[in-house]
């Protein structure tokens, strides 16, 4: 009975910033379990007979469960947590337009992820990459997105600050574009057949990255960099050029995933050209990143959240150099059907956008709770296990991808080159253990900070360097 009472209070709480805190706590739970699904799937890549008689743990179910848990559960909920803290602060309000609505949205989001992933593990899936959730769950995801958008927009419109900082533009853009992308890319709303279905599928598959994770992540980074460094953002104009050019060039790029299919040539050409033009918003972000941090790189030695943000910025540079490069036709033809692409995806979603949420959480949770992070040592271990883990994973997948691409290109017998990839798959599993160890420490640290009664009070620290 007491548990039900506590759940009722949590769902309908109107405590300032409670929705931000609760979204992050749940997101970390999905981070650990999502990575565990990925780790088990990596074992099956070279030991396919490891698990018998448990259909829920077959590779074909684990991989989509891993993807949906980390994308919809961890990273999307982490983004909402950051927005629910940053937006009221920048809009000049003491809390969200409705904290209660934020917590109700959290309840719906948890229901969607938990039951949705459970259904995927039991074979109830749409069978389309990155859009595996079936019809009823698509409606729930869309409903939750619209509720988040309503809360964020109303917080901004009812705030006292009328000159909006660039992060607010990025958040409004992400929450305007993502529901549209979601509707076009999921069969619960729009149904195509044949090649048109493939085009719509990759419009969604690539734009969930571009119009949601990229736009939202850059918005969070633009908030954090001035906070951490004490320097103002180098150029507001550049940041707005980046915002509008992302909107202009990202949408048509999805077809570069199906360049080897009989899609109309003009559509392929637009996708490739738009992919190359994405270098414009990338350069605006990078110039702002490096120039805002000018003279403050030494802070990285002691400022743990800033260390995560800097690693994310450098990973973003690598991601965005790779993207246009591998979207060009000849390179795409050589690399596309290989593990190189898997490495590229982890570079973006793990090393860039997850690290941005890590950086934000180590700054936001102390602000919300009024306590220092429980353990600085655990935060340092979290950084190094995550940092080394993604580098090892990236290198192993990239090398395995080059071996695989060469095998396809020279039409070598499959059983010759696939055995050459096994050592790199084993190394990838090792990197998975490092990453999960880091995230378990992260979960422990954040949970102890939030729930421990003996946590250390928060010192005065405008840049947040003393919070961890």
């Amino acid at each position: 009975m007491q548990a039900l009472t506590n759940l009722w209070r949590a769902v309908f709480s109107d405590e300032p910033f409670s929705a931000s805190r609760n979204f992050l706590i749940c997101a970390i739970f999905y981070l650990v379990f999502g990575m565990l699904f990925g780790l088990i799937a990596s074992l099956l890549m070279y030991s396919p007979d490891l698990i018998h008689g448990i259909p829920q743990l077959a590779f074909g179910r684990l991989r989509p469960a891993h993807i949906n848990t980390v994308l919809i559960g961890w990273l999307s909920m982490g983004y909402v947590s950051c927005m629910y803290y940053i937006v009221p602060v920048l809009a000049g309000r003491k809390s969200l337009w409705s904290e209660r609505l934020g917590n109700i949205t959290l309840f719906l989001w948890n229901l969607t992820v938990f039951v949705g992933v459970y259904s995927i593990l039991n074979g109830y899936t749409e069978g389309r990459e990155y859009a595996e959730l079936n019809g009823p769950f698509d409606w729930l995801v869309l409903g939750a997105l619209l509720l988040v958008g309503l809360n964020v927009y109303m917080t901004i419109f009812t705030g006292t600050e009328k000159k909006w900082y660039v992060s607010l533009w990025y958040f409004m853009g992400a929450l305007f574009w993502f529901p549209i992308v979601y509707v076009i890319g999921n069969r619960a709303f729009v149904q195509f057949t044949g090649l048109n279905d493939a085009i719509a599928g990759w419009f969604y598959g690539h734009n969930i990255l571009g119009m949601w994770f990229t736009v939202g992540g850059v918005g969070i980074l633009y908030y954090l960099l001035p906070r951490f460094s004490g320097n103002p953002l180098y150029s507001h104009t550049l940041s707005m050029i980046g915002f509008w050019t992302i909107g202009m060039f990202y949408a048509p790029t999805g077809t570069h995933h199906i360049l080897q299919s009989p899609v109309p040539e003009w559509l392929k050409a637009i996708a490739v050209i738009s992919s190359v033009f994405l270098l414009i918003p990338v350069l605006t972000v990078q110039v702002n990143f490096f120039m805002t941090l000018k003279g403050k790189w030494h802070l990285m030695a002691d400022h743990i959240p800033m260390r995560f943000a800097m690693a994310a910025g450098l990973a973003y540079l690598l991601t965005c150099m790779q993207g246009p490069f591998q979207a060009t036709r000849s390179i795409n033809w050589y690399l596309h059907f290989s593990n190189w692409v898997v490495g590229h995806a982890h570079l973006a979603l793990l090393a860039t956008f997850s690290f941005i949420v890590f950086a934000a959480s180590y700054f936001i949770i102390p602000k919300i709770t009024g306590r220092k992070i429980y353990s600085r040592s655990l935060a340092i271990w979290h950084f190094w296990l995550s940092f080394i883990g993604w580098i090892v994973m990236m290198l192993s997948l990239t090398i395995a991808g080059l071996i695989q691409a060469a095998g396809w290109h020279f039409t070598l017998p499959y059983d010759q080159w696939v055995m050459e990839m096994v050592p790199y798959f084993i190394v990838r599993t090792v990197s998975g253990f490092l990453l999960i160890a880091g995230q378990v420490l992260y979960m422990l640290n954040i949970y102890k900070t939030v729930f421990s009664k003996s946590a250390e009070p928060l010192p005065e620290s405008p840049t947040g360097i003393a919070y961890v």
Side-chain angles (χ1 to χ4, degrees):
M1 188 63 187
Q2 184 61 39
L4 285 175
T5 304
N6 292 338
L7 177 63
W8 179 267
R9 287 176 180 167
V11 171
F12 292 100
S13 171
D14 60 353
E15 178 190 351
F17 300 112
S18 58
S20 172
R21 177 197 61 206
N22 296 339
F23 257 96
L24 181 67
I25 291 171
C26 296
I28 296 173
F29 171 83
Y30 293 121
L31 170 67
V32 173
F33 274 86
M35 283 193 173
L36 185 60
F37 291 146
L39 178 66
I40 299 171
S42 78
L43 287 165
L44 296 178
M45 290 290 286
Y46 53 90
S47 301
D49 298 324
L50 184 66
I51 300 173
H52 291 281
I54 309 177
Q56 289 83 359
L57 296 182
F59 183 86
R61 298 187 186 184
L62 280 171
R63 183 179 183 274
H66 163 66
I67 289 171
N68 282 273
T69 307
V70 295
L71 295 191
I72 306 297
W74 152 242
L75 204 46
S76 293
M77 292 181 76
Y79 272 27
V80 175
S81 167
C82 295
M83 291 179 187
Y84 276 180
Y85 174 80
I86 295 171
V87 169
V89 170
L90 293 179
R93 288 182 56 103
K94 293 181 179 177
S95 66
L96 281 173
W97 175 65
S98 174
E99 288 290 338
R100 185 168 286 122
L101 177 61
N103 282 304
I104 292 172
T105 307
L106 170 69
F107 178 77
L108 291 175
W109 204 302
N110 273 318
L111 181 69
T112 304
V113 176
F114 192 81
V115 182
V117 171
Y118 178 81
S119 71
I120 289 173
L121 287 172
N122 284 279
Y124 184 64
T125 169
E126 207 164 276
R128 300 167 80 221
E129 194 166 10
Y130 299 120
E132 287 89 355
L133 288 176
N134 234 319
F137 303 107
D138 290 334
W139 281 100
L140 285 171
V141 171
L142 181 63
L145 278 175
L146 293 176
L147 290 178
V148 171
L150 173 66
N151 220 343
V152 166
Y153 272 82
M154 289 305 296
T155 304
I156 295 171
F157 293 155
T158 58
T160 57
E161 180 57 60
K162 300 304 177 188
K163 191 173 182 180
W164 296 337
Y165 182 65
V166 63
S167 295
L168 297 181
W169 285 96
Y170 275 79
F171 295 157
M172 287 194 294
L175 288 166
F176 175 78
W177 288 321
F178 187 31
I180 296 173
V181 168
Y182 200 83
V183 166
I184 294 175
N186 284 276
R187 286 189 185 134
F189 315 104
V190 178
Q191 295 189 10
F192 296 106
T193 57
L195 273 177
N196 290 332
D197 185 63
I199 293 169
W202 278 111
F203 171 82
Y204 168 72
H206 201 75
N207 282 306
I208 188 176
L209 177 70
M211 312 303 272
W212 172 236
F213 292 122
T214 298
V215 178
V218 172
I220 298 169
L221 195 62
Y222 276 151
Y223 173 79
L224 296 178
L225 293 178
R227 285 283 183 278
F228 290 170
S229 65
N231 292 338
L233 184 67
Y234 174 68
S235 171
H236 189 271
T237 303
L238 270 182
S239 66
M240 291 310 296
I241 292 172
F243 174 76
W244 290 112
T245 50
I246 285 179
M248 185 182 303
F249 295 126
Y250 226 116
T253 57
T255 303
H256 72 217
H257 285 270
I258 44 178
L259 291 181
Q260 281 66 245
S261 70
V263 169
E265 286 299 317
W266 63 268
L267 195 54
K268 294 179 185 177
I270 290 175
V272 173
I273 293 168
S274 299
S275 301
V276 175
F277 271 106
L278 279 177
L279 288 172
I280 295 172
V282 170
L283 287 174
T284 66
V285 174
Q286 290 299 326
V287 170
N288 260 332
F289 174 78
F290 284 104
M291 296 307 290
T292 302
L293 294 180
K294 187 178 180 182
K296 297 298 177 72
W297 287 78
H298 63 283
L299 294 177
M300 187 171 58
D302 296 316
H303 199 314
I304 305 303
M306 189 174 184
R307 197 181 289 181
F308 276 105
M310 287 181 166
L314 294 175
Y316 183 70
L317 176 63
L318 289 175
T319 303
C320 296
M321 293 297 107
Q322 271 193 347
F325 164 75
Q326 65 197 36
T328 55
R329 290 198 184 215
S330 55
I331 302 297
N332 186 282
W333 173 80
Y334 187 76
L335 289 174
H336 189 69
F337 297 103
S338 75
N339 277 274
W340 171 288
V341 179
V342 184
H344 173 68
H346 282 84
L347 183 59
L349 295 164
L350 170 63
T352 303
F353 302 126
S354 291
F355 270 53
I356 289 175
V357 178
F358 295 151
S361 63
Y362 282 121
F363 181 76
I364 289 173
I365 285 296
K367 285 283 194 182
I368 293 175
T369 60
R371 301 167 175 175
K372 283 185 68 175
I373 289 294
Y374 171 73
S375 169
R376 178 178 171 85
S377 297
L378 288 179
I380 293 172
W381 273 102
H382 175 218
F383 174 80
W384 285 113
L385 287 169
S386 302
F387 186 73
I388 295 171
W390 81 255
I391 288 180
V392 173
M393 176 176 285
M394 176 73 190
L395 290 175
S396 60
L397 286 169
T398 299
I399 297 171
L402 291 173
I403 293 171
Q404 193 174 12
W408 292 126
H409 177 67
F410 293 107
T411 60
L412 298 174
Y414 179 79
D415 58 350
Q416 275 190 22
W417 52 264
V418 76
M419 294 306 295
E420 300 296 326
M421 296 168 63
V422 169
Y424 301 99
F425 285 153
I426 294 173
V427 172
R428 180 174 73 168
T429 299
V430 172
S431 73
F433 277 110
L434 294 176
L435 286 164
I436 285 188
Q439 308 328 306
V440 170
L441 298 181
Y442 173 50
M443 182 166 65
L444 174 65
N445 212 2
I446 295 297
Y447 280 48
K448 293 289 281 186
T449 303
V450 173
F451 296 110
S452 174
K453 294 180 180 177
S454 60
E456 194 174 336
L458 193 65
E460 186 66 29
S461 178
T463 65
I465 192 170
Y467 293 172
V468 184

